[in-house]
């Protein structure tokens, strides 16, 4: 122990005596360790930290599977859920959840709240007790009982100032009084992390939901002890087959898919986080190579010291231990600085992250992250310190102890080691740059996708009308018509319209249909269409052109002949060689009456920019009076500047009506590609950092080489060598190392991208994992940077004065 303390004291004094070397090495390590710590904090929070549910490995999300549409996770029919609940033998309990929006009014501004209505077993399945109050009791799931709600801790703090007295108090939800019976603990949610309220849901086993409702539920279940996921999937698949035979009209082409709740919450973000973790590991390795080169260069100035130690009896192991102690001490300093950078980096990471990344609010520096940083720092110290220590521990005593002997820093072995580190840096940087290049090219292509509408100067807002106040269809029609009329009259407004589900916002509705003048297809073989309900000026507000026929007018109401508008994809697929105008469709939407096609409009991207347009129909709002609609306002000025005036007009109609998601449509489009932007930005930052470190590494090695070869260069110039010869000599050696690294990096990148194609293909849009352009452009860029890094010290070599160089020792 005393010897170790001596090594630490000596190492600290040595580093203090060389502040420039120490600062550069610590900075390089801090960048690598800090980036790794920041990304690991996200991996820890999202992927590693246990979920806050009771025995989460037994919690399953049970979806319906739509085989014709190749949809693995489809919402669930209430009728099928009730059959699953009563007939399965693999789950202890099952619960159903419906995600809705409700209006909270009363004290404070009216507010729209993300709410889940749940069946009786939900909270017991999740195994989480309320922070205050209680969960629902069985009697509260019966028809006619008092309205009750449970609040999230976030809503309780934000809206009610964390007042414990709110439990037992009545609040106004969608125009009706509801008693608050409990407050859930922090960060509790199921699937949708925006949920802030829960209310009881009654599913009546005596009703035939297959005739009166479609699919709209989520389902969660707890496996019985000892039952595996495979066994549960097998039984539920068999149960789905029985239900398909019993109800072919409703269940043909439908199955069951069981997903562990961890998989459901983490989703596709796992691949992105692991890619980023691999990227920062490359950055750290490049930083290690840089510091190892610094240590090799520094070793030349310590040859006499080490030779003297050896001459006085220090064994090789003792010298290696001393040098490794210094390396670990250097790594510890880098780790401490990296931890400080990581604290700032975590904040940057959260600010850049898409809002739908799960467990985002749990990202931070905890004991596991600190342990990771400590382990990485120690391992880093050994990695970059071992080879220089081995090289330095074999001094040539005769040469090193001569008065005036030139330091060789390990001779040829030292030169080979420095060259190896340069090759490694370039190869690692190239792999990282190619990955970033693929993501950047993919994102650029995604941004260039035409969504089918004009998102510029377009304001959006959403409203949900409470049924307690707007019970009649006509009331809902009048409200939205009046709101559009008033907003359209505002200065700067060119057009205003309404739609049920906003494009690219991630929500929508769909159903099957068939042609009225042709035989109905067998169950499970009907085509499927997206369904949207719109106001008459929607297409004008969105800038979606009419291709054929006419748009809706005030005459298209619930009492007039039934009409609809289709998109060009449906026209092309269903009427390839015909005029669709005048054709009739029967939409599976509660009745079997036909609707006549009166117009064809341009395709839009309904749910995401990287998805192909699907068949879509549009119904007039007067024909299908939804209580929730989005208003879109086309402006000749900055659309956000109209938000206050638009809200005033709506509040003039109903002062208690909440208005949600007021934002520019450009923001909606931007948020729809937030995940690929997040991955592209971080991967680009890490690749740029790797490029910088590699360039500094090449420059450092070549600069040191010029210093070491000053005597040789002087002789060459004295014997008649031209400056161009010296330039070629120095640049040639550096570029040889760089090109070897480029070749190795290209091979490694091609192998990695080829092997990982199944995993990263979902992250790329219109770009292959082995994109030729990227694999050509990135190596050329790296070679150019390497050339510049070699050229600067080479120019210095050409300015050597032969007379001075020949006296150089």
């Amino acid at each position: 122990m005393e010897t170790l303390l001596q090594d630490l004291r000596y190492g600290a004094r040595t580093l203090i005596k060389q502040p420039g070397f120490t600062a550069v090495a610590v900075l390089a390590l801090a960048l690598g360790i800090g980036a790794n710590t920041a990304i690991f904090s996200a991996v820890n929070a999202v992927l590693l930290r246990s979920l806050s549910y009771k025995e989460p490995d037994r919690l399953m999300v049970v979806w319906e599977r739509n085989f014709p549409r190749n949809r693995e996770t489809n919402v669930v029919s209430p009728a099928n859920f009730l059959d699953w609940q009563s007939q399965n033998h693999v789950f202890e309990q099952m619960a159903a959840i419906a995600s809705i929006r409700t209006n909270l009014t009363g004290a404070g501004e009216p507010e729209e709240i993300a709410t889940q209505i749940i069946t009786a077993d939900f909270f017991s399945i999740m195994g989480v007790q309320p922070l205050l109050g209680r969960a629902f009791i069985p009697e509260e799931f019966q028809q006619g009982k008092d309205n009750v709600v449970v609040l999230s801790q976030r809503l309780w703090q934000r809206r009610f100032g964390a007042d414990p007295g709110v439990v037992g108090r009545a609040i106004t939800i969608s125009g009706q009084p509801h008693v608050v019976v409990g407050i859930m603990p922090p960060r509790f949610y199921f699937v949708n992390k925006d949920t802030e309220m829960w209310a009881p849901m009654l599913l009546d086993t005596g009703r035939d939901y297959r005739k009166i409702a479609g699919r709209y539920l989520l389902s969660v279940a707890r496996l019985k002890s000892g039952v595996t996921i495979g066994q549960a999937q097998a039984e539920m698949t068999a149960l789905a087959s029985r239900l398909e035979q019993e109800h072919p009209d409703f269940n043909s082409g439908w199955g069951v898919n069981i997903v562990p709740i961890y998989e459901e919450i983490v989703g596709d973000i796992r691949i992105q986080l692991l890619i980023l973790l691999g990227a920062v590991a490359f950055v750290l390795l490049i930083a290690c190579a840089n510091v190892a080169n610094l240590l090799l260069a520094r070793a030349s100035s310590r040859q006499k010291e080490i030779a003297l130690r050896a001459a006085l009896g220090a064994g090789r192991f003792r010298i290696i231990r001393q040098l490794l102690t210094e390396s670990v001490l250097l790594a510890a300093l880098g780790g401490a600085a990296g931890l400080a950078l990581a604290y700032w980096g975590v904040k940057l990471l959260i600010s850049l992250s898409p809002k739908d990344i799960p467990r985002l609010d749990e990202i931070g520096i905890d004991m596991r992250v600190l342990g990771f940083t400590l382990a990485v720092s120690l391992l880093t110290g050994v990695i970059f310190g071992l080879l220089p220590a081995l090289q330095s521990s074999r001094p040539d005593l005769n040469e090193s102890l001569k008065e005036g002997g030139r330091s060789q820093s390990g001779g040829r072995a030292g030169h080979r080691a420095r060259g190896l580190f340069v090759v490694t840096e370039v190869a690692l940087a190239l792999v990282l740059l190619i990955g970033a290049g693929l993501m950047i090219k993919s994102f650029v292509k995604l941004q260039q996708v035409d969504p089918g509408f004009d998102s510029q100067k377009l304001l959006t807002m959403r409203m949900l009308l409470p049924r307690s106040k707007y019970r009649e269809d006509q009331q809902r029609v009048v409200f939205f018509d009046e709101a559009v009329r008033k907003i359209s009259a505002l200065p700067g407004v060119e057009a205003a319209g309404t739609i049920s589900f906003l494009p690219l916002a991630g929500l929508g509705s769909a159903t099957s249909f068939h042609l009225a003048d042709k035989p109905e297809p067998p169950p499970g073989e009907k085509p499927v269409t997206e369904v949207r309900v719109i106001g008459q000026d929607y297409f004008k507000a969105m800038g979606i052109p009419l291709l054929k026929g006419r748009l809706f007018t005030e005459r298209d109401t619930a009492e007039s002949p039934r009409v609809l508008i289709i998109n060009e994809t449906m026209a092309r697929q269903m009427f390839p060689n015909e005029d669709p105008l005048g054709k009739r469709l029967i939409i599976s939407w509660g009745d079997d009456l036909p609707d006549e096609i009166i117009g064809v409009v341009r395709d839009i991207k309904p749910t995401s920019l990287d998805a192909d347009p699907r068949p879509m129909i549009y119904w007039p709002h007067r024909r299908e009076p939804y209580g929730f609609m989005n208003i879109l306002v086309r402006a000749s000025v900055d659309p956000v500047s109209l938000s206050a005036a638009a809200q005033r007009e709506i509040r003039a109609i109903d002062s208690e009506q909440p208005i949600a998601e007021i934002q520019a449509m450009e923001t909606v489009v931007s948020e729809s590609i937030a995940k690929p932007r997040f991955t592209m930005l971080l991967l680009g930052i890490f690749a740029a950092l790797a490029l910088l470190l590699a360039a500094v590494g090449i420059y450092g090695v070549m600069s040191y080489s010029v210093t070491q070869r000053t005597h040789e260069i002087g002789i060459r110039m004295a014997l008649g060598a031209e400056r161009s010869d010296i330039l070629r000599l120095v640049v040639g050696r550096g570029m040889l190392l760089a090109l070897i690294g480029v070749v190795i990096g290209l091979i490694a990148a091609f192998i990695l991208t080829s092997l990982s194609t199944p995993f990263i293909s979902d992250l790329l849009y219109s770009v292959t994992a082995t994109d030729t352009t990227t694999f050509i452009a990135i190596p050329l860029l790296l070679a150019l940077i390497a050339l510049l890094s070699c050229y600067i010290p080479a120019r210095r070599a050409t300015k050597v004065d032969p007379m001075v160089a020949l006296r150089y020792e």
Side-chain angles (χ1 to χ4, degrees):
M1 187 66 182
E2 184 178 348
T3 306
L4 177 61
L5 291 175
Q6 288 177 351
D7 288 344
L8 287 172
R9 283 195 297 269
Y10 182 79
R13 286 199 303 268
T14 302
L15 295 178
I16 291 172
K17 287 178 181 177
Q18 296 180 307
F21 162 82
T22 303
V24 171
V26 167
L27 178 59
L29 292 173
L31 290 172
I33 294 173
N36 274 268
T37 301
I39 294 298
F40 180 79
S41 68
V43 171
N44 175 51
V46 178
L47 304 183
L48 301 181
R49 190 176 294 159
S50 178
L51 298 173
S52 58
Y53 310 125
K54 176 186 175 183
E55 297 181 278
D57 56 314
R58 292 171 57 195
L59 282 177
M60 304 290 135
V61 181
V62 189
W63 297 95
E64 290 205 58
R65 173 181 280 155
N66 187 320
F67 291 106
R69 296 182 67 190
N70 194 30
R71 240 181 127 154
E72 297 288 318
T73 53
N74 198 93
V75 284
V76 178
S77 156
N80 286 341
F81 168 78
L82 290 172
D83 286 336
W84 295 350
Q85 190 177 43
S86 62
Q87 298 179 38
N88 89 86
H89 301 93
V90 292
F91 297 124
E92 285 182 356
Q93 296 171 297
M94 291 190 76
I97 305 98
S99 294
I100 62 172
R101 313 290 297 193
T102 55
N103 294 340
L104 173 60
T105 55
E109 283 289 311
E111 185 177 359
E112 188 180 285
I113 304 295
T115 304
Q116 289 181 337
I117 52 175
I118 57 175
T119 56
D121 293 332
F122 174 74
F123 286 126
S124 62
I125 288 174
M126 306 308 289
V128 178
Q129 296 299 316
L131 180 69
L132 291 177
R134 61 172 175 83
F136 303 127
I137 57 178
E139 292 78 11
E140 289 166 342
F141 291 89
Q142 297 175 8
Q143 195 72 37
K145 288 294 180 180
D146 292 338
N147 295 327
V148 291
V149 293
V150 170
L151 307 182
S152 72
Q153 186 257 5
R154 185 172 66 245
L155 178 62
W156 175 56
Q157 284 192 330
R158 174 171 53 81
R159 183 80 183 195
F160 302 101
D163 177 12
V166 76
V167 176
R169 186 189 306 168
I171 60 176
T172 303
I173 306 294
S174 296
Q176 296 291 323
H178 288 66
V179 176
V180 177
V181 298
I183 310 294
M184 294 307 291
R187 301 190 180 109
F188 173 79
Y189 68 91
F190 172 72
V191 178
N192 180 9
K193 69 177 184 179
D194 292 331
T195 302
E196 294 189 309
M197 191 183 299
W198 293 267
M201 172 172 56
L202 172 64
L203 289 180
D204 187 352
T205 56
R207 302 180 71 183
D208 187 356
Y209 286 100
R210 291 184 179 90
K211 292 184 179 179
I212 61 175
R215 292 173 163 87
Y216 58 88
L217 295 178
L218 303 174
S219 176
V220 65
R222 180 172 289 277
L223 286 174
K224 289 182 177 178
S225 181
V227 175
T228 66
I229 298 174
Q231 291 170 334
Q233 182 65 66
E235 172 165 315
M236 294 302 291
T237 299
L239 177 53
S241 297
R242 291 200 303 272
L243 295 178
E244 184 176 11
Q245 293 173 4
E246 293 172 8
H247 309 282
D249 288 345
F250 190 82
N251 281 330
S252 290
W254 291 87
V256 176
N257 185 24
I258 297 175
V259 180
I261 195 167
Y262 172 83
E263 300 288 337
E264 185 62 40
I265 290 176
V266 171
D268 59 358
I269 196 64
R270 181 200 288 109
I271 297 297
Q272 297 178 55
L273 287 179
L274 292 179
I275 288 174
L276 292 174
L277 190 61
V280 292
F282 276 26
V283 172
L284 182 57
L285 288 174
I286 295 171
C288 287
N290 256 337
V291 177
N293 262 331
L294 285 174
L295 287 175
L296 282 172
R298 177 171 171 260
S300 66
S301 65
R302 302 183 65 185
Q303 279 189 343
K304 288 185 180 181
E305 171 205 336
I306 294 171
L308 186 59
R309 285 172 173 264
L312 294 175
R316 189 181 181 204
F317 176 75
R318 181 69 181 83
I319 294 172
I320 291 174
R321 191 178 72 180
Q322 171 64 54
L323 295 176
L324 277 180
T325 300
E326 294 177 18
S327 298
V328 171
L329 185 59
L330 195 62
L333 293 173
L339 193 60
L341 286 177
Y343 180 77
W344 173 81
V346 166
K347 293 185 176 182
L348 177 64
L349 185 68
I350 293 174
S351 68
L352 292 176
S353 299
K355 63 181 182 181
D356 59 344
I357 283 189
R359 313 180 76 179
L360 184 63
D361 57 346
E362 298 180 40
I363 298 176
I365 308 294
D366 61 9
M367 292 306 297
R368 181 181 287 172
V369 175
L370 290 174
F372 170 83
T373 305
L374 177 62
V376 167
S377 300
L378 293 176
L379 182 62
T380 298
V382 173
I383 289 174
F384 71 71
L386 186 58
L387 184 57
L390 290 173
Q391 289 281 349
S392 300
S393 64
R394 289 180 175 176
D396 184 336
L397 298 183
N398 185 51
E399 181 67 28
S400 298
L401 294 177
K402 280 183 184 178
E403 183 68 28
R406 283 191 301 270
S407 51
Q408 300 298 321
S409 187
R412 293 183 178 178
H415 288 302
R416 284 197 299 269
R418 285 190 291 275
L420 176 62
F421 285 134
V422 168
V423 169
T424 302
E425 288 183 64
V426 172
L428 291 173
L430 182 63
V431 173
L432 198 47
L433 283 165
I434 284 178
L438 291 172
M439 291 300 301
I440 292 171
K441 184 173 181 180
S442 170
F443 186 74
V444 169
K445 285 184 173 289
L446 193 59
Q447 283 189 306
Q448 293 173 345
V449 171
D450 183 359
F453 55 85
D454 182 6
S455 63
Q456 296 183 348
K457 294 189 176 180
L458 190 61
L459 182 71
T460 76
M461 60 191 76
R462 186 183 64 240
M463 274 155 287
L464 168 66
L465 305 182
R467 278 198 171 272
S468 60
K469 183 181 291 188
Y470 297 90
R471 295 182 181 276
E472 303 298 325
D473 289 350
Q474 188 58 29
Q475 289 178 292
R476 297 192 283 274
V477 170
V478 168
F479 176 90
F480 284 110
D481 281 355
E482 182 69 4
V484 168
R485 184 187 67 78
K486 284 178 170 289
I487 292 173
S488 298
L490 291 173
V493 174
E494 296 180 347
T498 55
I499 188 170
S500 52
F501 296 103
L502 203 63
L504 302 179
L507 296 174
S509 57
T511 189
S512 59
F513 72 99
H514 63 279
L515 302 180
D517 58 352
K518 291 186 178 179
E520 184 176 348
E525 296 183 16
K526 290 182 181 179
V528 174
T529 179
E530 298 283 328
V531 178
R532 300 293 185 269
V533 174
I534 64 171
Q536 71 179 56
D537 287 335
Y538 166 74
F539 294 117
K540 181 181 178 181
M542 288 289 286
I544 301 174
L546 175 70
L547 304 180
K548 188 176 293 187
R550 70 172 179 87
L551 301 177
F552 297 132
T553 68
E554 293 182 355
R555 296 188 299 275
D556 296 315
T557 65
E559 292 74 29
S560 64
R562 295 161 60 110
V563 295
L564 56 77
I565 293 171
I566 65 174
N567 68 345
E568 55 184 314
T569 293
M570 176 173 278
R572 184 172 57 253
Q573 291 184 6
M574 302 305 300
F575 311 100
N577 299 308
E578 303 177 74
D579 185 351
L581 298 182
K583 303 291 185 182
R584 297 185 304 157
L585 303 178
I586 295 178
I587 313 297
S588 302
W589 200 266
D591 59 41
D592 293 327
L593 299 177
D595 289 81
E596 180 183 346
I597 299 172
I598 61 168
V600 179
V601 294
R602 184 188 180 191
D603 283 337
I604 66 166
K605 299 282 188 175
T607 55
S608 64
L609 288 177
D610 58 353
D612 294 330
R614 296 191 288 263
M616 180 176 289
I617 68 161
Y618 297 92
W619 270 325
H621 186 241
R622 294 185 180 91
R623 146 88 163 78
E624 190 71 21
Y626 273 26
F628 64 89
M629 295 290 280
N630 294 275
I631 295 181
L632 298 111
V633 183
R634 169 71 57 191
S636 59
V637 295
D638 177 13
V640 179
S641 67
L642 295 172
S643 60
Q647 290 181 77
R648 283 196 300 271
E649 296 299 335
I650 292 169
R651 294 278 166 77
I653 303 172
D654 185 343
S655 61
E656 293 187 337
Q657 178 57 49
I659 307 167
E661 300 291 341
I662 304 172
Q663 57 188 334
M665 190 66 198
E666 288 179 307
T667 302
V668 177
V669 175
S670 177
E671 289 180 353
S672 74
I673 54 175
K675 281 186 179 179
R677 182 192 300 111
F678 169 71
T679 308
M680 182 270 298
L681 277 176
L682 289 185
L683 203 55
I685 291 171
F686 299 146
L689 184 57
L691 180 61
L692 176 62
L693 288 173
V696 169
I698 295 171
Y699 171 81
V701 167
M702 299 315 301
S703 182
Y704 178 75
S705 176
V706 167
T707 301
Q708 290 294 96
R709 300 176 69 181
T710 301
H711 189 71
E712 173 197 339
I713 292 170
I715 293 174
R716 288 176 178 270
M717 297 184 71
L719 295 176
E722 298 292 336
R723 291 180 183 272
S724 59
D725 298 324
I726 302 301
L727 198 64
R728 281 195 301 270
L729 176 69
V730 177
V731 171
R733 181 175 183 274
M735 287 305 296
L736 177 62
L737 296 175
L739 291 176
I740 293 173
V742 166
V743 171
I744 294 174
L746 269 175
I747 295 171
F750 185 80
I751 293 173
L752 284 174
T753 52
S754 298
L755 292 177
S756 59
T757 295
F759 304 103
I760 66 173
S761 57
D762 290 340
L763 303 179
L764 300 176
Y765 174 76
S766 194
V767 176
T768 64
T770 55
D771 179 66
T772 303
T773 304
T774 304
F775 272 75
I776 293 174
I778 295 299
L780 289 176
L781 171 64
L782 184 54
L784 183 62
I785 298 296
L787 179 62
L788 182 61
S789 300
C790 295
Y791 178 74
I792 296 173
R795 279 206 60 181
R796 181 160 57 86
T798 64
K799 297 179 180 179
V800 169
D801 185 339
M803 296 302 296
V804 175
L806 290 175
R807 293 198 302 267
Y808 172 75
E809 285 292 333

